[in-house]
């Protein structure tokens, strides 16, 4: 215990630790405010679009009224009636967009959802008769079904959605759409989402590889206790050699102190968006629905390779609370794995900067090479595992949350054992 406390004190006496911590907090805070500005810009764009369409219909209604008056004066009754009918239709469109603007500005999502659901229901229930397209490229039926059910849940639970283009029914992005050319850019713009409340922002940041990047930074800050003290500059390990303390005890103390601090560091950085959101619109609700892919059903294909099909593949939603509970377990196991990889490499490289670069390269290459469900590097994308996107991307149902925990934990234990053996053979200079 004395060795453990001694190692803790050494970490927090280092000025570099505090400087690095403040830099990381500043970086995640800057990302939060960047996202906040993007959300505000998107909301302002929606408001401008609604106003522009309202003004356009007003102009058309005025032109139709003038044309009707002139036609009536000229004795052209048919044209006058036609223009009066068009002016009436434009007037209804004006009322529609005026009501939409009031609802959007006041956050009356019940009104907006109800209108969207009416339109989506038609294309979901009658896919052969009604379709949505972008430049003649069809929106996949899977996306329409998932968007329809998401809106139903948002409406039933009274939840605040992320900021998004509110036109074209605010469809959600899914893996089943494969647009090309300008349509792809247009689709990406239409489905771009930015969280406006705490939990939604954290959920969004999880998709940006926030967790593995934060863990790697934590390992860089706290995982060099052996390698940095085994060189002539610091001679930290020489101090332990003159004390009646076993090598194993020193190893456990240094490893555990770094691991615990990496866990705490990851937790602190992850909670920054929630803390900052208290100064804005609040942290939101954990009942927000998260799409989980079921993928193609292998039993329906017999001996043939399953092929994703948006018309038949199923899905379900889990709450954001379930998503984060599973994410917490995955994060803890990922901390153990990434920290152990870094610690193991640091015993050989003995230079913090080089170890950081090599570890990052190993993690990146590991995710790109090999698609075995027992490859621990395949589980570094937490979001992709929890939403089961692998079932669609790799057409493989063997990638599961439980198998990810086992792969990360078992590989971490092996590396930990090898690290211990390497430490016992380590010679200080």
């Amino acid at each position: 215990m004395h060795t453990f406390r001694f190692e803790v004190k050494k970490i927090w006496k280092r000025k570099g630790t505090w400087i690095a911590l403040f830099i990381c907090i500043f970086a995640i805070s800057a990302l939060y405010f960047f996202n906040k500005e993007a959300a505000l810009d998107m909301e302002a764009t929606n408001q401008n679009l609604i106003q522009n369409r309202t003004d356009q219909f007003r102009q058309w209604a005025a032109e139709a009224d003038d044309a009707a008056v002139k036609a009536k004066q000229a004795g052209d009754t048919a044209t006058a009636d036609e223009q009066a009918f068009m002016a009436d239709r434009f007037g209804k469109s004006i009322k529609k967009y005026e009501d939409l603007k009031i609802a959007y500005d006041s956050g009356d999502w019940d009104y907006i959802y109800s209108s969207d659901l009416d339109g989506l229901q038609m294309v979901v229930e009658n896919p052969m008769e009604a379709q949505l397209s972008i430049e003649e490229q069809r929106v996949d039926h899977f996306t329409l079904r998932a968007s329809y059910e998401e809106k139903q849940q948002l409406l039933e639970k009274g939840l605040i959605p992320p900021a998004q283009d509110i036109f074209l029914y605010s469809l959600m992005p899914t893996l089943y759409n494969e647009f090309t050319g300008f349509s792809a850019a247009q689709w990406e713009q239409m489905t771009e989402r930015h969280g406006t409340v705490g939990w939604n922002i954290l959920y969004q940041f999880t998709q940006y590889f926030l967790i593995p990047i934060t863990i790697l930074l934590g390992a860089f800050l706290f995982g060099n206790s052996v390698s940095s003290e085994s060189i002539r500059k610091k001679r930290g390990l020489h101090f332990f050699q003159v004390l009646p303390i076993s090598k194993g005890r020193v190893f456990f103390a240094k490893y555990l102190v770094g691991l615990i601090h990496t866990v705490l560091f990851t937790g602190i950085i992850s909670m920054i968006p929630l803390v900052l959101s208290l100064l804005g619109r609040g942290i939101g609700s954990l009942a927000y629905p998260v799409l989980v892919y079921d993928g193609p059903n292998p039993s329906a294909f017999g001996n043939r390779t399953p092929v994703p099909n948006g018309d038949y593949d199923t899905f379900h939603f889990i709450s954001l609370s379930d998503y984060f509970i599973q994410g917490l377990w995955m994060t803890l196991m990922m901390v153990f794995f990434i920290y152990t990889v870094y610690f193991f490499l640091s015993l050989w490289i003995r230079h913090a900067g080089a170890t950081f670069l090599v570890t990052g390269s190993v993690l990146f290459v590991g995710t790109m090479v090999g698609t075995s469900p027992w490859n621990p590097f395949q589980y570094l994308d937490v979001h992709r595992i929890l939403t089961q996107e692998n079932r669609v991307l790799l057409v493989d149902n063997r990638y599961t949350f439980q198998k990810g925990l086992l792969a990360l934990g078992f590989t971490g234990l092996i590396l930990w054992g090898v690290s211990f053996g390497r430490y016992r053979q380590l010679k200080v200079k």
Side-chain angles (χ1 to χ4, degrees):
M1 184 57 70
H2 293 292
T3 308
F4 184 88
R5 286 200 299 266
F6 179 68
E7 290 297 320
V8 171
K9 290 179 181 179
K10 282 200 297 185
I11 285 180
W12 291 108
K13 283 183 178 180
R14 293 201 307 257
K15 291 182 179 179
T17 301
W18 289 98
I19 294 173
L21 180 60
F22 284 125
I23 290 175
C24 291
I25 292 176
F26 175 79
I28 190 65
S29 300
L31 182 62
Y32 169 86
F33 286 111
F34 176 80
N35 177 84
K36 182 179 178 181
E37 286 301 314
L40 292 174
D41 288 344
M42 186 166 288
E43 290 174 347
T45 299
N46 284 334
Q47 291 170 332
N48 290 334
L49 284 173
I50 295 172
Q51 187 61 53
N52 290 339
R53 293 196 180 189
T54 305
D55 294 340
Q56 185 68 68
F57 279 113
R58 281 203 182 100
Q59 179 183 344
W60 289 342
E63 292 174 354
D65 281 332
D66 290 341
V69 171
K70 291 179 181 178
K72 190 174 182 179
Q73 291 174 348
D76 189 350
T77 307
T79 301
D81 290 343
E82 180 183 351
Q83 291 299 317
F85 175 75
M86 294 299 297
D88 182 63
R89 287 189 61 184
F90 291 144
K92 291 178 180 179
S93 295
I94 293 171
K95 180 66 167 59
K96 171 187 172 182
Y97 282 105
E98 286 178 340
D99 291 343
L100 179 61
K101 180 171 176 37
I102 294 172
Y104 190 77
D105 292 344
S106 63
D108 184 4
W109 298 107
D110 288 358
Y111 175 85
I112 300 173
Y113 291 155
S114 299
S115 177
D116 285 349
L117 283 171
D118 290 340
L120 279 173
Q121 184 175 10
M122 182 175 61
V123 294
V124 168
E125 295 180 351
N126 304 286
M128 301 305 296
E129 300 176 9
Q131 295 181 356
L132 289 180
S133 301
I134 300 176
E135 293 190 328
E136 299 183 355
Q137 296 188 42
R138 175 176 171 262
V139 178
D140 194 273
H141 193 233
F142 182 95
T143 298
L144 298 176
R145 290 187 290 127
S147 299
Y148 180 71
E149 186 168 329
E150 180 195 41
K151 275 191 169 49
Q152 283 184 316
Q153 294 200 23
L154 292 174
L155 181 60
E156 292 170 0
K157 299 172 182 177
L159 301 175
I160 299 175
Q164 182 183 358
D165 186 336
I166 63 172
F167 298 99
L168 197 64
Y169 304 117
S170 302
L171 299 177
M172 70 184 308
T174 73
L175 300 175
Y176 282 80
N177 280 106
E178 297 181 357
F179 291 101
T180 58
F182 180 72
S183 297
Q186 196 171 356
W187 172 254
E188 185 176 350
Q189 181 180 350
M190 287 178 176
T191 57
E192 182 182 359
R193 293 181 166 189
H194 295 281
T196 57
V197 290
W199 289 119
N200 287 29
I201 295 173
L202 181 58
Y203 168 62
Q204 179 184 339
F205 285 2
T206 303
Q207 302 173 46
Y208 296 161
F209 291 92
L210 171 68
I211 293 175
I213 292 174
T214 303
I215 295 172
L216 182 58
L217 289 173
F220 173 68
L221 293 176
F222 308 111
N224 301 291
S225 55
V226 173
S227 60
S228 63
E229 294 182 5
S230 63
I231 56 179
R232 290 174 181 165
K233 252 187 179 182
K234 296 189 177 180
R235 297 179 178 272
L237 294 182
H238 292 79
F239 173 72
F240 289 107
Q241 287 185 326
V242 299
L243 296 176
I245 302 175
S246 66
K247 264 193 167 185
R249 183 176 168 184
V250 175
F251 174 83
F252 284 121
K254 289 183 174 294
Y255 177 87
L256 284 176
V257 167
L259 179 63
I260 292 172
H261 278 79
T262 303
V263 172
L264 294 175
F265 173 78
T266 304
I268 291 172
I269 296 301
S270 300
M271 291 300 105
I272 295 298
L274 293 179
V275 175
L276 293 176
S277 68
L278 295 174
L279 305 176
R281 301 182 184 180
I283 61 175
S285 172
L286 284 170
Y288 187 86
V290 177
L291 176 67
V292 178
Y293 298 88
D294 296 329
N297 183 6
S299 62
F301 291 85
N303 295 326
R304 294 174 295 139
T305 301
V307 178
N309 188 317
D311 292 327
Y312 303 103
D313 291 355
T314 59
F315 59 87
H316 64 278
F317 286 89
I318 61 173
S319 66
L320 207 51
S321 59
D322 291 338
Y323 177 90
F324 282 130
I325 289 173
Q326 294 180 34
L328 176 61
W329 286 109
M330 186 65 76
T331 298
L332 291 174
M333 199 57 69
M334 198 183 301
V335 171
F336 171 62
F337 172 72
I338 294 179
Y339 175 81
T340 305
V341 170
Y342 185 95
F343 195 87
F344 166 76
L345 292 173
S346 71
L347 296 176
W348 299 86
I349 300 174
R350 303 196 193 186
H351 185 280
T355 304
F356 177 78
L357 293 176
V358 172
T359 305
S361 300
V362 168
L363 297 179
F364 177 76
V365 173
T367 59
M368 304 298 292
V369 179
T371 56
S372 168
W374 289 107
N375 177 4
F377 298 101
Q378 290 292 322
Y379 296 93
L380 298 184
D381 189 342
V382 178
H383 177 73
R384 207 171 88 173
I385 298 302
L386 299 184
T387 59
Q388 300 183 157
E389 291 185 12
N390 305 71
R391 291 176 180 265
V392 177
L393 295 172
L394 302 175
V395 195
D396 193 338
N397 293 340
R398 295 177 298 169
Y399 286 89
T400 63
F401 167 72
Q402 294 80 2
K403 191 167 289 185
L405 295 179
L406 288 174
L408 291 169
F410 185 69
T411 309
L413 283 174
I414 293 176
L415 288 175
W416 179 86
V418 176
S419 299
F420 181 67
R422 169 63 179 170
Y423 173 77
R424 292 181 65 85
Q425 298 175 353
L426 194 66
K427 294 181 180 180
V428 296
K429 299 179 180 180

